[in-house]
Amino acid sequence: TWLYFSFEGFVHPVAFDGGAAKPGAKWSLFSDAERAAGWRVGGSQFNAVHRDKALLFVVVHQGAVDSHKDPGMQVWVYDLKTKSKQRVIELATHAMSIAVTRDAAPLLIATTLESPVVHVYDALTGALKHAIEGGPMTPSFTQVP
């Protein structure tokens, strides 16, 4: 199943079975109150999934309409089975791109255009583990093996 996101924070799941696309029921990342408060997805690579744990990680910020490219200071974590927010990870700095490792003790990797630093968090607790400074990087795209 692939997840497609609207700028307003709706998730549109599409399953591909035997080559045929089968859209699922859309669901919302934000409650009506959160949406009214201006919460939005943001960044260039704003979501990541840990398949085995059925967790979705999304960079969010408060902003106006069309602020979907703005970075966020939080990552909201959702249970994909219940489609509910489980926790909020407060970031050390704005994030434009995130990725999550696939192992049993996953790490959340966050980067930004503001500085050549990769921040590494415990994806399950949100604790900042360390920052990797310097070196060549493309902070608008984050990929884990």
Side-chain angles (χ1 to χ4, degrees):
T1 300
W2 289 53
L3 302 176
Y4 296 90
F5 298 83
S6 71
F7 295 148
E8 294 80 25
F10 290 99
V11 180
H12 300 267
V14 179
F16 292 89
D17 186 21
K22 296 180 182 174
K26 79 175 181 179
W27 57 280
S28 181
L29 296 171
F30 308 120
S31 67
D32 290 342
E34 290 166 341
R35 189 169 280 103
W39 284 102
R40 302 187 178 281
V41 298
S44 56
Q45 184 182 345
F46 60 84
N47 66 84
V49 171
H50 190 283
R51 189 180 326 175
D52 292 346
K53 296 193 180 294
L55 294 174
L56 169 65
F57 298 80
V58 181
V59 177
V60 299
H61 70 280
Q62 285 182 289
V65 172
D66 294 330
S67 66
H68 56 273
K69 292 184 181 179
D70 291 351
M73 285 293 295
Q74 295 181 347
V75 171
W76 289 7
V77 184
Y78 297 85
D79 180 319
L80 286 171
K81 293 177 185 170
T82 64
K83 299 174 179 57
S84 62
K85 182 169 63 173
Q86 300 298 299
R87 64 186 167 285
V88 173
I89 297 175
E90 297 287 344
L91 301 174
T93 187
H94 288 98
M96 287 290 293
S97 299
I98 60 171
V100 175
T101 62
R102 298 179 192 146
D103 52 335
L107 300 173
L108 172 69
I109 313 301
T111 62
T112 182
L113 293 172
E114 296 171 355
S115 62
V117 179
V118 176
H119 288 92
V120 181
Y121 300 85
D122 180 312
L124 301 181
T125 68
L128 177 64
K129 295 182 73 71
H130 55 272
I132 304 166
E133 296 188 32
M137 63 184 287
T138 305
S140 60
F141 180 74
T142 305
Q143 183 175 353
V144 296

